[in-house]
Every structure is written in structure tokens, then in C-alpha cells.
Amino acid sequence: MAEVDDSKNSASNPTSGVAQRYALALFSLAQEQNAADAVADALGNFQEMIEQSADLKRLVLSPVFSAEDQLKAVSALLDKYGFGGITANFIKLVASKRRLFVLPDMIRAFQALNDKAKGVTRADVTVAAPLSSDHNAALEQALREVSGGKTIKVNVNVDPSIIGGIVVKLGSRMVDGSVKTKLNSLRTRMKEVG
């Protein structure tokens, strides 16, 4: 299995500092108002909306829209889908400051701060086919043991292109035990020999 430590990747991302500062400010405010979990849930829901809508993703990531256009569109969406309070005000502020393109990074940074405060570790797992409930429970137990007994939130993605096996990202560590990676590795070794 290939294991990679990608903890240095955020240092090469120039927007990570901006995302961290905004997320930290939002997290401090949310904690003051005892609303960190509610804000985390709302931000997670907004992130899902971004991922599921090509138009919203284009609005968030494209520099061609003015701050006014982004603010109007985002405000309408927030109202339509019932976002309010700290979360809505934060997203509107980000739009008005022309930082909407950094919002997905801000959301990830906020989730990381909230998880750390609660002692939760997130794991992203990619499998070739959906897991049964027994396999899912066994996976969560194994990840809990590997993480030293921490609370684990597992996000399982199904990607048939990995052919079989599993890819696990737990914190900054990644273990790739997919058949696809093994076949590519074997192909490379065969080219070196022959």
C-alpha cells in the first residue's frame, strides 16, 4: 500500500492563509454564540449545494462576476434555502469582499477547527462499490483504532475506476490500496525490467 503525507500541500496554496483567517474569525464568533456545530452544519450544506450545482460553482469560482452580482445571487440563494444568522452573514461578507472563490477552503478550514475542538478526526474513504453496513462499521472501528481511539467521521465515496481495494485519507495521511494503483505500479516496474 502506498502511503503519502500531504500535510505540506496547504503551504503551497496562496489562498490557504486567507481561508484560515476567515475561518478562525468565524469559528471564534460561532463559539462565542455557542453555535459552532450549527454553523458547521450550515456551511456543510452550502458546500454540498456548491458541489451539486454547476451554476453555483461557476458563480463562486469565476472572477467575471462583480462583487455586487455575487452578493445578490448568494443572498437570494441563502434566503430561498433558509440560511440565516452567522452563516448567512459570513457568506454575504465573503461575497462582498470578492473572496467567494476561497469559500470552499474557508469551509474546510472551519470544519477542521470545529473537529479539532470536539476531538473528531475525519476520514475520506474511496471504494469501488458501496459498503455494507457491517463493512462500514468494521471500517470505522479500524480507523478509530488507528487514530488512537478518537471519534471518527467517515465520508465514503464510491469510485468504480479504482477497480477494487480501498483508498483512505485520515488527517494528513493517505493509504492507497486500490487495485488501480497496484496495476499502475506493476506496469511501471515491468517497463523498467523490459
Side-chain angles (χ1 to χ4, degrees):
M1 289 186 177
E3 189 167 336
V4 177
D5 182 352
D6 67 347
S7 58
K8 297 175 187 92
N9 285 353
S10 62
S12 64
N13 183 350
T15 61
S16 65
V18 172
Q20 279 299 123
R21 287 191 300 275
Y22 274 76
L24 190 56
L26 177 61
F27 186 69
S28 296
L29 178 64
Q31 276 192 315
E32 285 175 13
Q33 297 188 14
N34 293 323
D37 288 338
V39 171
D41 290 342
L43 287 174
N45 291 339
F46 196 78
Q47 181 63 35
E48 281 183 37
M49 288 174 57
I50 293 170
E51 290 168 4
Q52 293 174 0
S53 170
D55 290 337
L56 180 55
K57 187 180 286 188
R58 191 169 25 264
L59 174 76
V60 168
L61 299 178
S62 177
V64 298
F65 297 104
S66 69
E68 296 80 26
D69 290 342
Q70 286 181 325
L71 183 57
K72 282 182 197 173
V74 165
S75 295
L77 278 173
L78 293 169
D79 291 342
K80 180 178 179 178
Y81 290 102
F83 289 91
I86 297 170
T87 306
N89 289 340
F90 176 75
I91 294 171
K92 289 176 185 177
L93 173 73
V94 170
S96 70
K97 298 288 185 183
R98 298 269 311 145
R99 299 281 188 267
L100 208 50
F101 68 98
V102 190
L103 184 61
D105 291 335
M106 292 175 189
I107 292 171
R108 278 189 288 283
F110 181 90
Q111 300 288 14
L113 289 168
N114 194 44
D115 287 348
K116 185 175 182 181
K118 293 176 13 182
V120 171
T121 301
R122 290 189 184 263
D124 290 313
V125 176
T126 304
V127 293
L131 296 175
S132 68
S133 58
D134 290 342
H135 287 135
N136 207 17
L139 176 64
E140 286 184 24
Q141 178 62 34
L143 291 172
R144 193 174 305 111
E145 290 171 9
V146 167
S147 70
K150 293 183 180 178
T151 303
I152 302 287
K153 283 192 177 179
V154 180
N155 178 34
V156 178
N157 299 305
V158 177
D159 181 2
S161 74
I162 70 167
I163 303 170
I166 189 168
V167 178
V168 178
K169 185 171 189 263
L170 180 65
S172 64
R173 294 186 312 174
M174 184 171 117
V175 178
D176 188 341
S178 66
V179 173
K180 179 180 180 179
T181 298
K182 289 179 182 179
L183 288 172
N184 286 338
S185 176
L186 182 61
R187 182 180 304 128
T188 301
R189 280 186 264 156
M190 289 177 73
K191 285 181 181 177
E192 290 171 0
V193 173

